[in-house]
Structures are given as structure tokens and as C-alpha cells.
Amino acid sequence: MKEKLEQIKQRALSSISEAVDMDRLNDVRVAFLGKKGELSRILKGMKDVAPEDRPKVGQMVNEARSRIEAELEKEMAVIQKRMLEEKMKSEVIDVTLPGIRPADGHRHPNQIALDDLERVFIGMGYEVVEGPEIEYDRYNFELLNIPENHPAKDEQDTFYITKDILLRTQTSPVQARVMETGVMPVRIIAPGRVFRSDEVDATHSPSFHQVEGLVVDKGITFADLKGTLEQWAQEFFGPETKVKFRPHHFPFTEPSAEVDVTCFKCGGKGCRMCKGSGWIEILGCGMVHPKVLSDCGIDPEVYSGFAFGIGLERIALLKYEIDDMRLLYENDVRFLKQF
Amino acid sequence: MNTPISWIKAYVPDLDCSVQEYVDRMTLSGSHVENAVYLDRNLEKIVVGKIVRMEKHPDADKLLVCQVDVGDEITQIVTGAPNVFEGALVPVVLDGGRVAGGHDGSPYPENGIKIKKGKLRGVVSNGMMCSIEEMGSSREMYPEAPENGIYIFDKNKGVKPGDDAVEALGLRDAVVEFEITSNRVDCFSMIGMAREAAATFAKPFYPPEVKTCGDDDDVNRYIAVEIQDEDLCPRFCARVVKNIRLAPSPEWMQRRLAAMGIRPINNIVDITNYVMEEYGQPMHAYDLDTIRGHKIIVKRAQDGDVFTTLDGQERQLDHDVLMINDAEGPVGIAGIMGGENSMVTDSIQTMLFEAANFDGTNVRLSSKRIGMRTDASGKFEKGLDPENALAAINRACQLVEELGAGDVVGGCVDVYPRPAEPVALPFEPDKYNKLLGTDIPADQMLVYFDRLELTYHQDTNMIDIPSFRQDLRCSADLAEEVARFFGYDNIPTRLPQGESTIGKKSLAGRVEELCREVAEKLGFCGSMCYSFESPKVFDKLLIPEDDPLRQAIVIANPLGEDYSIMRTIELNGILTSLATNYNRRNKNVRLYEIGNIYLPKALPLTELPEERKKLALGMYGDGGFFLLKGTLEELFAKLGLEGKVTWEPSGEKSFLHPGRQALIYISGQYAGFIGQVHPQVCANYDMKTDACVAGIDLPLLVSKATFDRKYKGVAKYPAVNRDLSLVMKKNIFVGQVEKMMRDKGGKLLESIQLFDVYEGSQIAPGCKSVAYSLVFRSPERSLEAAEVNKVVDKILVELEKMGIEIRS
């Protein structure tokens, strides 16, 4: 009996090792372990075994079963693993085929520049506010120390609706509107559309965008203005950016400055973009003129402030190397999808 | 303002730096340099040569073989120029040198022309003799230069072979162009710029010394001046020069004018131009013999007057134009141009010089109305210093004497009814430092002020502001003077101290940002359109004649009709952009724009209009109405508005397909529209495709939006599903059916999902089949079938009432 069992076990084991797939393995299971399998048959033949030997035979049968089962499990794992590998081998894809893009909406480059700019100033504690695009002469000019008959008020530059109402030529009127509320301290940026009577060409548009900045508080200095814009420029154009302040004139600031940054294309070495100078002019700024403060109801002996104005299109055009301003208003998706 | 450095050095002789350094430092002290033109650009190895022998070329009739003394050697040069002769002193470019361009005056090449020795018809030529054009200049500026020939130096000029010919022609110079800001009128003059240069480089400044000149004669015997309109003419100075001797002006004056791009003419004209550049004060010369009654009257013209200016043009005048008249009539337009009737001619004997001060604004507006802008009006319109007029006229007369151009009559008629009050400001160094954030010593500030001719009086602590500095009127102005000479670069950098503030965007800003995000996520590209458009837009959009949308704000001075009204509807820009894309064969285009429309409260405007921000979406190609609707649904969900939005079928929007449009309401309030563009409108925009658009009112969206979210719990108990397949008339909108289901479904109805709509051969004509999956669930327990059936039965009853057939 013992030999017979041993024989069955050996045959089972060799059948297992010869099995090449799950079906064969299953056949082996049925043939040896199934209800009508060889081991079952031995158990059925127990009645012919002497009663005192039965426990021993039973034990031997169980041992043989466990061994075969273990071997089956092992082989099954091997075959499964091999099958998975074969399956995956047949499932190779060409990963260089194009991806499926769920949607292809893109942000307008001007808006991206504005978002970047806002992010930096919001981080520095500035609130984003807006003002009307159709504005009173009083806010656009008078309160900004641009008196009647100033050349800047010339019809050549300004679109008028009536004598007193016009399309704002700058975002600076928002300054006056914010200061007039008298809520101190002021720390705002005011982005928006502005309008000037320029014919459309590669570098001009009758409608464009500015971002105005204004800080008013006790003890604000020109040094604060320099530090703020330097900080912004380094966040916006990169940490290596250098900033140069040049004296300039605006009616509503004194002292005033124009600001250049090191050319972000050549890093200041000089290239076509910066016309060889290494610098690019990006904005105008200055200390709020004491007359502007007092006309807006703020005591210039107590408070001081600085203001700056950034041309958004100019920055977007430079940053993305767009050579024609008209592209910004055409909305051709082949242009828009590049951003 | 163009300034040759050589001219600046006439007043600041110690100025000694490279052009680049000059440009950089002047810019940093506030005189922004636009560009610098080097007059000796591309001029290399050019010396004065003397032709010692000249013979005909053996093989060419028109060529000459010259032996030229170039200082250290005699060299052979072949030329084709007809005007050279033995003994002539000429500019010679040697082998390996460079000239600016060709002699025919064509545009100069970027890097000039390199000159090498070579053979001309077999004869060696070691260089080239130069025309004035090859030297980068012109006969305009060098009238003595011959036409089509080599420039020949005057042998009395003291040049000798081997000298630097560029230097000898006065071309070792650079003309620096400054951008002068409107507040610095004084810098529109050579003296003003020289003063700035001297202050910038801390060098002494020597303005011209003007001495009284003139003979014993009395100017009042020759001319009387009366100003009738003092508001437009604060000052009028007149002097007389008799026995005029017209001649070319001296070389130094010609060269300076030439470098400024002013063509030398004769001594009198040149002196006028020279003083205008030097002092920034325009002057005018009249032939005194043409001035009737020996009298000048300054007064406004009459409406409808016509006057012939010295360029021979007839000019229409009006009562705001200031005129210079003699006893009988006008002889010039004040500050703009003189008259043909009093102009200086070659036969002039006695000349009247005018140096006046006119109101800048009036000159600007007059010159615009008349349509004539001159060098003089360009200066006057900036608003000149009346004190400068007398200085300039005396300088001009001094030059007349120096140049021997005539005999200056003694005295000056100076009508100056209300002399400008001198201005003084207190010296407040602490205030300047406080504004700048600096710690500059008071002494140092006074050094800067002194260089600018701002005189400090210690006893009164006041600073006298010279009349030419009309821009210095308060302490901030003086702080700027300190800052620019201390150097903006040297001011420290800091961040504002004090009370901290919170950086933020408004709720409207956040909603706008979300609109952008959702639109872009779903394939719409951000676009930017103009706020002004053509009034024809209303017709293109089929807007009825009496529609309030046609009440648009009109720009008084638009760029053209196409940009003349402020938009009242957000569609034209997006449709125009779609059309642009369509006509460029771009497929599947989706665009959005966020921008204002402008709604007047009354026309013409008496107060600011309402500006309403709109989200406009437009698309053609894949998708269509329901993709656009889905985009909006996604947006509304993100704004916490799910379940609050209704889509009312409508035919009211003229620009949309009457059967494919809806008005959108949020909690019952109108929020915008969506629809397929009316085929006629598509045609009006030259689009041969269907397109869909939507317009959403952002202020309303902002008022309804909420970012509050409350967790509701994920259902624990199983749902019971019931599918309903319905057949209904096409004109029944599923929205009606769904509203009814929600009303009748009560609390147990969790959701309604429409999963199929079918119209076609399987269904009766005029009908559609619609299939719904209804989900019932209770948050508290498992539902019994009977409970659900009760609710479904209620729905079925209502469906029957609506004439809807239930198929299962």
C-alpha cells in the first residue's frame, strides 16, 4: 500500500511538472485529487485494509494529498505568472503615439501676464480693485494734477464722450477714487482696460491694459518704492533681474521715475530685443504728488505714498516675444493655443 | 532735443568723457537719451591729402592718376572726379580704411564701405579721395562742397597733409538725442542741456556772456509795440538792425547748425536759428521797411480772416488765433509763422527782430486748427519762460555785431506788462530725506542746488528758484532735484513698514477666475475684443430698430465709424473672432471673453454709464448647443448653483435661432442666454457654419455664487431604480416633464437621469421617445417597493394628464 501511494504521489508530481498550462494542471487535480481520483479510490478501498492499519494508511493518503496540493499551488503560481508575462508581452503599445488631450482651452497671454503679476502683489499684501473704464475728466485728469489745456488732455490722445466724460487713458484714476474714500493705509493694484486714440499697428492699439499700483501710509518713502518694484521684478522676471530707476516726469508723481529691468532675453549682455542696451523699460512710477494727495483729501504732511503703472501688453509682448500687438486682439486659436 | 556734444562742450569745456559715459550719466540724472548718432561712424583711416601731381590715365579718358601727399608719404590714387586739381587739399581714405557710404547719396550701409588698394584699368590706386557724401554728410550741411565731386578743403583753413580729415570737417562729434519731459521746458535749449551736463558731471558751466550792444541810435525811432491781448502775449521784445550785410555765416556756426540738421542759409537766418537752439527762444525777423506805420500791434484775428504765410499758403483764421499786425494789418501769425508780406528777402536793408512770449496752449491749439506746426510753434507750445526773450534777443544782436551782419540800433522795445513774480521755496532737508528714505547731508543738497543755479539764502533759509525752472514749485520738486543728483541708484531699497494689509481679490475676482478655469478646462480659449465697435453691429445681429440695446454711447472723436460706439452687447467681438478663425480654416474653435458692456442711464451721458461685466462664449465645430450648455452647467455647479438654474425655451433673442435658444435664470433671476446663432447672423459674419453662443451676466453670477459646501453624507441604504420610457409630442420640453417629476417625486426621488432621446421611424410622426432612470432612496431606511410604486403612480397620472404615453 505504501509503495502504491508513493507511486501515485510520484506520478502526480511528475504530471504536475509536465503540465504546461492551467487546463493540464486542472486535469492533474481531477485525476489525483478529484472525487473519482486515484487518492479517493484508495480511500474507498480502505475497507480492505486491516483496521489497525487504517489510521496509518489514512495519514499516508493525507500526506500524499497535501504534498500534491502544495505542488499544484506552486506550479499554478508559476504558470499564472508566466501567462501574465506573456499577456503583457502581447499588449505592448507605441508610447510615442500622440496623447489624447481632454480639452485644449488656453488662457490669453495678456491674462497670464496679469495673473502672474497679481499673484506677486497679492502676496505682498495688495488688494486687487477695479474702476470704471468710462470715467469723469475729473478723475482721469484733474485730480491727477493734469490741468485744463494740458497737452496730455489733447483730443489726439483721448477719446471723449462728452466734455466731462471720456474713456480713461490710464488706470491712474483708480488712485484718486481709492484715496477719496479716505480709508488708510492703501495698498492696491488696479488692472484694467485703457484707451488712447492711436491707430492700430504692430506696436499700438487704441485699447490696451494697465496695472496701477498705489501705496499710501505714514512714512512711505522712495526707498520703499524701489524695494517694492525690485522685489516684484525679481519674482516676475527671475531672481537675477536687476532694476534701474531713471528720473522722469509724470504730473501726478514727484519725484518720478521710469524703471528698466535687465533684458530677460539676454540677461543684460545686449541683444536685438533690448536694442543692445541690456535694459528694457517696463514701467513708470513715483511718489504721489502732494497736490494729488491733498486734492483727494489726504494730508500730505501726515501721509505719503507711491504709485506705479505697468503696461500689460508691453510686458506680455516682451515676455512671450510676440512681434505684433494686433495678434492679441485677433483671437486666432493658432496664436492662443501657444500659451 | 538733439545736442551735438561739441556744442555742449562750448559751455562746459571741462566735460571730458566718452560718448557712452555721457549718455549713461545724463540718463541717470534725468535727461533720458533716446539715441546717440556718431558723426564719425564708419569713418576710418581718412586723412587730409594734397594732390602734388596729376596726369591722365593711359587707358581711360575719364580717370586721373594723382600723386597725393598724405603726410608721411606720397601715394598714388586714381580718381574719376572732375573737380580735383594739383595743389588741392582733399580727404583721402587710405588702404584698409572705411567710408560711410557711396557718393550718390543712397542710404548708408550698416557697416560703411571698406576701401582697399587695387588697380583701376591696370593702374594702382592706394586709396580713395572722398566726397562729402562718402564722409556721411551732405551738401545741405556743407554748402561749400561741390555737386558730384571730391570735397576740397579751403587752403586758408590751416589743414595740412596727414591731418585727421574727419576732425578737420568737424565730424569727430556725436549728436545725442534727449527725450525732454514736458516739465523741463528749459532743457529744450543748448544752454539748458549744458547746465544739466555741468551739474551731472560737477564741472563749471560758462553760458554765453551777453553784453549790451547797439549804437547811439534809438530803437524807439524805428518801431513801437502795442500788446492788445496780454493774456496771449505776456511779453514782446523788439530790436532793430540796420545796414544789413547778408553773407554766409562763419564756419563754426554753420557746422553747429549742420550737426543739428539745420541747413545754413545766410548770417541773419543762421543767427535766428542759432539763438533758437541756443536759448530755446524762437525769434522772428521782419523786413522793417514792409512794416507799415512803424508799429507792431499784437491782437487776436477776426473769425474768417485769411492770411498768407511766408510759405505762400493761405491760412484760415479765427478769433482765437493771435496775430502780429502792423499799423494796417496782419504781418504774421504769433508764434507760428511770419507773413509773406513782411518776410526777409535778399534786398533787405533794415530788419526788425522779434523775441516774444506767447501763451503755449493757445499756440498749440491755434497751430492745430490752422494745420501748421513749425519749429517755433513746437517750442512755444511748451510754455516758455518770458525772462528768456530779452536774453535771447540781446544774444542775437550781439552775434549780428560779432559777425558784422549789420549795425544794431541801440535799445530794445520791451513790452512786458506783468513781469513774472520771482519764486522762492524754503530749504527743508529733513522733509526731502523723509520723502526719499535717505540720509543725505543738507550741505550736500546745497551743492546740488548751487550747480542748478538755485540760490540759497542762509538768513531767510529760502531758495530762489530761477525763472527758467517753472517746474520747481514745492518741496517734493526740490526732493527730486536732490534725488537725481544724489543718484536714484544710491537711494536704498526697503519694503514698506507699518500696518500690515491683507492681499486679496474680491469675490467677483474669484468668480471671474473660476469662469476662466471652467471655460479653459472645457476647451475654450481666452480672447480679447475691443470695447468699441461699429453701429452696424446692431444690424448684423438683427437687433430690432426700437431695441434698447441700440441706445449706445457714442465716442465724440472715434478713430473711425467702425470704432465709434461702446458695445451694449457682448456678442460682436466673439462672433468676429469666430469668423476670423473660420475664414482661416481653423477647425473646432471655442472662445470666451470676459469684458464690459456699457449701458447708458440716459443719452447723451450726464453721468457715468453702468458697466456690466459679461462672460461671452462662442463655438463652432464639434459639440454644439449641448456642449455649450454642459460647459455652463459645469460652471454653475462649481459656483454652488446646481438645482437653482432653469433654462427657459425662448425665441426672444433676435440673433439666435428661434427654435434653439434658451434664457437662463438663476433662482428666478435672468442670468443670460444660450443658443445657436441665427443662420442669417452667421451669414452676416461670413461664416458658413453653425455656431453657438452664450452670454452670462457676471454681477448676477457673483451675487448668487457660493463657495460654502456642506457634507451631506453618502447614502447608506440601497436605492430603488425605476426606468420610464415615454413617448411625447415634440413640442413638450423635457424640462417641463422633469419639473413635474421633481414636484411629485417628493423627498424620496433622489435623481432623474435622462438617458435617451429618440426621434425617428420607430416613433409616431411629430413625437419623440424619451427614457428616464429615476432613483429613489431614503437616508433613513431601505425602501419598500410599495412606497416607491405609490410615488411612481403619482408621476404616471401626471404624465397621462400631459398626454404622454408610457411605453413600459
Side-chain angles (χ1 to χ4, degrees), chain A residues 244-248 250 256-260 281 283-284, chain B residues 32 179:
Chain A
K244 183 165 80 178
F245 285 71
R246 286 183 284 103
H248 198 71
F250 303 106
S256 306
E258 273 186 341
V259 178
D260 299 341
E281 183 191 320
L283 62 88
Chain B
H32 185 211
E179 177 205 356

Side-chain angles (χ1 to χ4, degrees), chain B residues 565-583:
Chain B
I565 61 155
M566 301 304 288
R567 59 181 176 185
T568 56
I569 179 163
E570 62 273 30
L571 268 193
N572 174 61
I574 216 90
L575 282 174
T576 306
S577 301
L578 286 180
T580 302
N581 279 285
Y582 177 78
N583 288 309

Side-chain angles (χ1 to χ4, degrees), chain B residues 54-67:
Chain B
M54 199 169 81
E55 48 202 33
K56 288 220 150 158
H57 190 291
D59 293 321
D61 285 351
K62 289 195 171 160
L63 293 182
L64 296 163
V65 182
C66 303
Q67 304 304 318

